[in-house]
Amino acid sequence: MNSLKTTILLASLTGLLVTFGYMFGGEEHGRQMATMALVFAGVMNFIAFWFSDKIVLRMYKAKQVGPSDFPKLYNMVERLARDARMPMPKVYIINTATPNAFATGRSPSHASVAATTGIINLLSDDELEGVMAHELAHVKNRDTLTSCVAATIAGAITWLATMARWAAIFGSRGGGNRNNNVWGTLALAILAPIAAMIIQMAISRSREYAADKSGAEMCGKPNALAGALDRLQSGVSARPMQTGDPSTAHMFIINPFRGGAASLFSTHPPTEERVRRLRAMRVQG
């Protein structure tokens, strides 16, 4: 169901890009404008896809660890990856009291998982296992690729909207139908990026639900993951992250800057709803 929803949302983003491109460029130049925007955003996101893992790990001063450094965490990830028949990801520790975790990497064979010292100190072993299973589920589901595609299309729409706004401003002189077209283009240039952001955030929320479900099935402990989310929301609210970039919030299991608050522009679904769905699960095994 979540995969179907993601596909529909990605199709909606693509449709919005093509529609905006045609309306901005007209029948003669609409397709070219949409293609130019997509290529431009694609190049930027191609770079992010290949190098964002190194960038974000460096941003949060993550330190790679082995079995002798943090044996509980490392052995936990190793066991989960083995049971899920996945390549063993690199394991990192971030020295901060904010309890959180994230996964990054362009593919299961080039993946990393990171946990903060705060989450290790806060959660029980079962709860921590549920969180790491959630992060491995993101890797297995290739959510990094999904996020990159969504960001590419949304970025193309934003770039096209910027061009449209400048065209509307400098083309506003004149009268009659021309002014009407200018104001219509300007309105679309303002609304289209907002719509694209809403769809992009909806994709992010959908992938969180999917990772919750897959992670609970992977570790066989949905109640432990539900309990972890509850405690993480309270933990982040008490100790929000003071450094870092809010644009990376979607990578974490809970928004590290504002806990479980949710809206149309949220990267995460409401924590209460995530907990409810997990507690309603029945895992065989």
Side-chain angles (χ1 to χ4, degrees):
M1 180 64 182
N2 281 305
S3 297
L4 176 60
K5 182 179 179 180
T6 301
T7 301
I8 293 172
L9 289 168
L10 285 172
S12 299
L13 263 179
T14 305
L16 180 61
L17 172 65
V18 174
T19 300
F20 188 21
Y22 269 107
M23 292 185 68
F24 176 44
E27 291 186 7
E28 184 177 356
H29 302 293
R31 182 175 295 180
Q32 291 90 328
M33 290 301 300
T35 301
M36 283 175 59
L38 189 60
V39 169
F40 176 79
V43 170
M44 297 302 294
N45 281 279
F46 176 82
I47 296 172
F49 180 69
W50 284 90
F51 300 106
S52 62
D53 55 341
K54 298 178 179 63
I55 293 170
V56 74
L57 288 167
R58 188 176 298 115
M59 179 188 300
Y60 289 102
K61 299 179 180 178
K63 178 183 177 182
Q64 187 175 354
V65 297
S68 60
D69 302 305
F70 280 81
K72 180 174 74 171
L73 178 65
Y74 188 92
N75 293 335
M76 186 180 289
V77 173
E78 186 177 44
R79 184 178 67 255
L80 286 168
R82 182 177 63 247
D83 292 347
R85 298 181 181 179
M86 296 172 56
M88 175 64 183
K90 295 177 182 177
V91 181
Y92 286 83
I93 288 290
I94 301 172
N95 186 22
T96 176
T98 304
N100 228 308
F102 67 83
T104 186
R106 62 184 182 271
S107 69
S109 58
H110 297 86
S112 301
V113 293
T116 67
T117 50
I119 199 173
I120 294 174
N121 294 331
L122 176 68
L123 301 185
S124 69
D125 289 357
D126 282 350
E127 289 169 340
L128 183 60
E129 184 178 351
V131 169
M132 300 320 295
H134 169 100
E135 298 307 331
L136 287 177
H138 273 309
V139 173
K140 191 171 185 177
N141 295 340
R142 295 181 180 269
D143 287 334
T144 302
L145 177 60
T146 301
S147 297
C148 190
V149 172
T152 296
I153 302 173
I157 292 171
T158 301
W159 183 80
L160 199 59
T162 301
M163 292 183 61
R165 285 195 294 271
W166 282 110
I169 290 170
F170 289 106
S172 60
R173 295 180 179 179
N177 291 334
R178 184 177 178 181
N179 270 337
N180 291 336
N181 291 337
V182 166
W183 286 111
T185 300
L186 187 58
L188 185 62
I190 294 171
L191 294 175
I194 295 174
M197 185 181 297
I198 290 173
I199 295 173
Q200 186 182 2
M201 294 302 98
I203 291 172
S204 178
R205 293 192 295 272
S206 175
R207 301 321 300 159
E208 286 302 315
Y209 280 133
D212 283 345
K213 182 176 183 297
S214 298
E217 291 171 344
M218 188 183 297
C219 68
K221 301 172 183 177
N223 286 325
L225 178 53
L229 291 174
D230 255 340
R231 298 181 71 181
L232 287 173
Q233 179 173 340
S234 299
V236 169
S237 297
R239 297 183 182 87
M241 196 163 280
Q242 301 299 319
T243 59
D245 187 344
S247 68
T248 64
H250 68 282
M251 299 180 64
F252 291 83
I253 189 169
I254 291 282
N255 188 321
F257 303 103
R258 59 182 185 184
S263 70
L264 279 176
F265 296 98
S266 296
T267 55
H268 295 70
T271 303
E272 295 79 4
E273 177 60 17
R274 296 171 70 181
V275 169
R276 187 195 67 77
R277 293 189 184 197
L278 285 165
R279 295 206 187 280
M281 283 184 65
R282 296 291 181 269
V283 176
Q284 296 179 352

